[in-house]
Amino acid sequence: MTIYEQMLSEHKNEKGVASPRASHEVMQQIVLAGLYRGGFFDHAAFYGGTCLRIFHALPRFSKRMCWALSTTLMNSTSGVTIISFNLPIESNLYNYGKQHFI
């Protein structure tokens, strides 16, 4: 069983069925972990409904992940772009048992 499957199994109800949102929620957590490992949060802040649900356990669901970007990430001369974080996300997805390419 992959880590992804283990995380998904934590979302199963008493009948052993995962909620329709479970896969989306698990993927959000894996992507956030990849962004963290890639240093994305040195350049951005995570906010909004998904942030409130994940970090403050509010009973809401949001498909979007909202970011406030620093001027370093927005400045094209810095050498840091959003594409710089594709590899850490892909690597994290692979490590968790999902093969997605961005």
Side-chain angles (χ1 to χ4, degrees):
M1 181 179 284
T2 66
I3 297 171
Y4 171 80
E5 292 167 337
Q6 290 173 2
M7 292 173 73
L8 195 58
S9 71
E10 294 173 8
H11 292 270
K12 291 183 179 178
N13 61 19
E14 61 279 349
K15 295 179 182 178
V17 179
S19 75
R21 298 182 197 157
S23 178
H24 195 85
E25 290 186 28
V26 170
M27 290 296 283
Q28 285 178 334
Q29 293 170 3
I30 294 170
V31 167
L32 285 168
L35 288 169
Y36 173 77
R37 288 186 179 117
F40 180 73
F41 296 109
D42 294 338
H43 307 283
F46 182 39
Y47 73 97
T50 302
C51 178
L52 291 171
R53 178 181 47 80
I54 291 173
F55 291 105
H56 299 286
L58 291 182
R60 56 176 291 141
F61 179 75
S62 174
K63 291 183 179 182
R64 296 179 305 174
M65 292 196 285
C66 301
W67 314 102
L69 305 178
S70 71
T71 54
T72 305
L73 191 59
M74 294 171 47
N75 181 354
S76 62
T77 61
S78 70
V80 178
T81 66
I82 197 70
I83 295 169
S84 306
F85 303 100
N86 285 356
L87 185 59
I89 293 170
E90 289 174 358
S91 175
N92 216 47
L93 288 167
Y94 178 80
N95 290 339
Y96 279 71
K98 297 298 285 181
Q99 292 185 344
H100 288 276
F101 298 98
I102 300 170

